[in-house]
């Protein structure tokens, strides 16, 4: 199955493009589902169809779904959450408040990822189109597997150990241990986090998944999209196209639009330069709303022409490791538009942590690099080049 994620600044037309892309894939004979992960759903309005939290068939080969995060959370997180709610309630916290505070930050959004896993395992669909939330929410969603890994490895492991001790003691003393979670609760949570890690692998595999950035030819939109592209590279998600939407057509000759058209022309040229080899697909500004099958067909034709949207539009690498002639290794991470002053680098023996702005990514290092040290890190052609060399005795180290 191919997974295509559309994201971008709010209001750029992600939903219309997602619906049009799904429609074109369905017309090419591919079983296609388009899902909305934005809490402010508008996919039904775009398709002019009634859809809900379960897949609904719109027409031949085309299904749509507006994900209900609460339903998904109850399914995957419910048992362990009930334990936490009971624990907080016994300490005098109102049940409603307890229910809210027992959700891990971002986990509610993570419910969207669980549907991706379901469709991958079912194997029914050929293409999954994700109409993602605006960029900030999408980045939180995509970084969730990295964030939750720390939680499950530290906090959950500690809590599970305490549970194994307290339950036998409670039975010996004849006391109720209802507020202590059982093994089945822990197994459910562990399975949830394992699933999130699995989805991370799917979304980071460019042979399966692609992120496509939707922009309007406006400076503020382009700047945010540049930052998004940097963070996607940071987390290892492959971007294979820029979709430039709402371009004023040349046929519009009204003097009112003269300056606007000139600005758009300059901004489109900047997009071509700023995003390097990424292909840019263009769609015009239409003389009305884009909703309904007929209008979506027109948008799809303008955007893709004879191109199959399900195909990979660009092959690129998120990071790579190269061995130099002197025996050193170089970890190369594309970070276009990143500022050196806004970056931190942390190293443990088997892991490297990069921070760019408010976002972090952990890169698990191969065994060959475990006993090497970071000699330096430099920006070369919009790539962060981190050099690993053999550890030097303290007396041999040169001042830096």
């Amino acid at each position: 199955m191919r997974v295509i994620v559309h994201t971008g600044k709010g209001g750029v037309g992600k939903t219309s493009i997602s619906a049009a892309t799904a429609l074109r894939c369905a017309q090419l004979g591919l079983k296609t589902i388009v899902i909305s992960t934005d809490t402010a759903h508008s996919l039904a309005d775009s398709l002019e169809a009634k859809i809900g939290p379960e897949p609904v068939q719109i027409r031949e080969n085309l299904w749509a779904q507006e994900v209900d995060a609460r339903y998904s959370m109850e399914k995957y997180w419910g048992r362990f959450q009930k334990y936490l709610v009971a624990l907080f309630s016994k300490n005098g916290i109102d049940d409603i408040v307890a229910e809210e505070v027992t959700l891990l930050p971002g986990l509610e959004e993570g419910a969207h990822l669980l549907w991706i896993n379901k469709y991958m395992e079912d194997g029914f669909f050929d293409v999954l189109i994700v109409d993602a939330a605006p960029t900030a929410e999408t980045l939180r969603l995509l970084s969730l597997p990295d964030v939750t890994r720390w939680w499950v490895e530290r906090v959950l492991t500690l809590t599970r150990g305490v549970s194994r001790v307290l339950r036998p003691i409670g039975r010996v003393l004849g006391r109720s241990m209802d507020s202590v979670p059982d093994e089945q609760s822990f197994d459910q949570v562990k399975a949830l986090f394992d699933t999130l890690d699995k989805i991370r692998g799917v979304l980071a595999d460019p042979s399966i998944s692609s992120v496509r950035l939707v922009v309007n030819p406006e400076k503020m939109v382009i700047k945010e999209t540049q930052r998004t592209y940097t963070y996607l590279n940071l987390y290892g998600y492959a971007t294979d196209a820029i979709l430039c939407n709402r371009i004023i057509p040349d046929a519009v000759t009204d003097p009112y639009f003269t300056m606007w058209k000139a600005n758009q022309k300059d901004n489109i040229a900047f997009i071509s330069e700023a995003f390097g080899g990424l292909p840019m697909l263009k769609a015009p500004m239409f003389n009305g709303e884009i909703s309904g099958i007929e209008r979506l067909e027109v948008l799809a034709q303008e955007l893709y022409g004879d191109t199959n949207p399900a195909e990979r539009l660009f092959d690129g690498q998120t990071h790579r490791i190269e061995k130099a002639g002197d025996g050193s290794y170089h970890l190369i991470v594309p970070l276009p538009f990143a500022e050196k002053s806004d970056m931190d680098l942390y190293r443990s023996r088997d892991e490297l942590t990069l921070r760019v702005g408010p976002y972090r990514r952990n890169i698990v290092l191969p065994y060959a690099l475990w006993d090497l040290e970071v000699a330096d890190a430099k920006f070369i052609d919009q790539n962060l080049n981190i050099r690993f060399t053999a550890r030097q005795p303290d007396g041999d180290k040169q001042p830096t």
Side-chain angles (χ1 to χ4, degrees):
M1 187 176 76
R2 278 283 284 147
V3 179
I4 300 170
V5 180
H6 291 129
T7 189
K9 187 176 175 63
V12 295
K14 296 185 302 297
T15 299
S16 297
I17 285 178
S18 296
T21 302
L23 180 61
R24 170 56 62 87
C25 290
Q27 290 174 334
L28 292 173
L30 302 170
K31 287 187 174 65
T32 305
I33 182 168
V34 54
I35 69 173
S36 170
T37 67
D38 192 343
T39 52
H41 295 300
S42 57
L43 182 59
D45 298 328
S46 182
L47 291 166
E48 291 185 349
K50 186 175 182 180
I51 60 178
E54 294 288 339
V56 174
Q57 187 166 7
I58 305 299
R59 59 184 301 169
E60 186 179 4
N61 293 328
L62 179 61
W63 286 258
Q65 177 184 12
E66 291 179 334
V67 176
D68 184 333
R70 284 290 176 178
Y71 169 80
S72 303
M73 284 307 304
E74 175 63 26
K75 179 177 180 180
Y76 291 100
W77 181 248
R79 188 181 182 92
F80 196 79
Q81 189 190 17
K82 286 175 182 175
Y83 147 70
L84 294 175
V85 170
L87 184 63
F88 280 119
S89 298
K90 286 186 177 182
N91 287 277
I93 297 178
D94 183 87
D95 285 356
I96 296 177
V97 176
E99 184 175 344
E100 292 298 323
V101 300
T102 53
L103 284 176
L104 289 179
L107 199 55
E108 188 169 354
E109 292 92 331
H112 305 309
L113 295 176
L114 302 174
W115 287 100
I116 297 176
N117 181 68
K118 170 179 167 51
Y119 296 137
M120 287 292 299
E121 291 185 342
D122 289 349
F124 177 77
F125 295 110
D126 301 310
V127 183
L128 167 62
I129 307 293
V130 181
D131 172 27
T135 47
E137 288 81 359
T138 300
L139 288 168
R140 283 198 295 270
L141 179 68
L142 294 177
S143 65
L144 185 64
D146 278 358
V147 174
T148 53
R149 185 190 306 151
W150 181 93
W151 197 93
V152 71
E153 288 179 355
R154 274 77 168 183
V155 179
L156 186 59
T157 302
L158 176 63
T159 308
R160 190 170 198 162
V162 172
S163 173
R164 286 172 175 166
V165 173
L166 291 182
R167 278 193 171 275
I169 293 175
R171 285 194 294 269
V172 171
L173 298 177
R175 296 178 180 175
S176 173
M177 289 286 116
D178 291 341
S179 62
V180 179
D182 57 23
E183 284 299 304
Q184 195 171 357
S185 299
F186 282 114
D187 289 341
Q188 184 191 45
V189 178
K190 182 65 165 59
L192 169 62
F193 288 125
D194 288 345
T195 300
L196 290 175
D197 263 340
K198 178 182 176 183
I199 300 167
R200 163 63 194 270
V202 168
L203 293 175
D205 184 347
S207 67
I208 300 174
S209 305
S210 298
V211 178
R212 293 178 183 169
L213 300 172
V214 183
V215 300
N216 296 152
E218 302 170 11
K219 282 186 178 179
M220 289 182 63
V221 175
I222 296 170
K223 287 294 183 183
E224 179 168 326
T225 307
Q226 286 179 302
R227 288 191 291 269
T228 302
Y229 186 44
T230 296
Y231 295 139
L232 290 171
N233 276 281
L234 180 68
Y235 285 113
Y237 297 113
T239 303
D240 75 346
I242 303 294
L243 309 182
C244 191
N245 193 28
R246 295 175 183 160
I247 301 171
I248 300 174
D250 291 335
V252 176
T253 58
D254 190 317
Y256 177 83
F257 292 97
T258 300
M259 183 60 71
W260 196 354
K261 288 173 65 177
N263 289 338
Q264 283 198 350
K265 185 176 181 180
D266 291 342
N267 289 333
I268 291 170
F270 176 72
I271 292 171
S272 298
E273 296 172 358
F275 292 93
L278 282 180
M280 178 168 54
L281 308 183
K282 301 175 183 178
M285 178 181 290
F286 291 91
N287 60 351
E289 293 186 22
I290 302 299
S291 62
I293 298 298
E294 290 185 3
R295 297 285 279 176
L296 291 172
E297 286 177 338
V298 175
L299 173 58
Q301 181 59 36
E302 290 285 351
L303 197 59
Y304 298 108
D306 296 329
T307 302
N308 180 353
E311 294 178 353
R312 291 171 61 187
L313 303 180
F314 175 79
D315 291 326
Q317 291 181 302
T318 56
H319 68 265
R320 65 187 189 276
I321 297 175
E322 298 177 352
K323 186 174 182 179
D326 60 0
S328 65
Y329 287 86
H330 294 251
L331 173 62
I332 301 169
V333 185
L335 289 176
F337 316 121
E339 296 290 339
K340 185 176 180 181
S341 60
D342 200 28
M343 178 182 300
D344 286 317
L345 175 66
Y346 308 94
R347 163 78 190 282
S348 63
R349 187 167 184 255
D350 61 347
E351 194 172 56
L352 195 72
T353 301
L354 292 174
R355 183 190 65 79
V356 179
Y359 299 98
R360 294 190 308 170
R361 180 190 175 196
N362 296 325
I363 299 176
V364 177
L365 300 175
Y367 179 77
L369 303 186
W370 283 13
D371 293 323
L372 304 183
E373 64 181 3
V374 175
D376 55 52
K378 300 178 180 178
F379 268 112
I380 302 175
D381 297 329
Q382 297 194 355
N383 293 309
L384 179 63
N385 190 314
I386 304 168
R387 185 166 63 95
F388 292 81
T389 60
R391 296 183 183 277
Q392 298 292 326
D394 290 342
D396 294 341
K397 288 186 177 180
Q398 298 297 319
T400 58

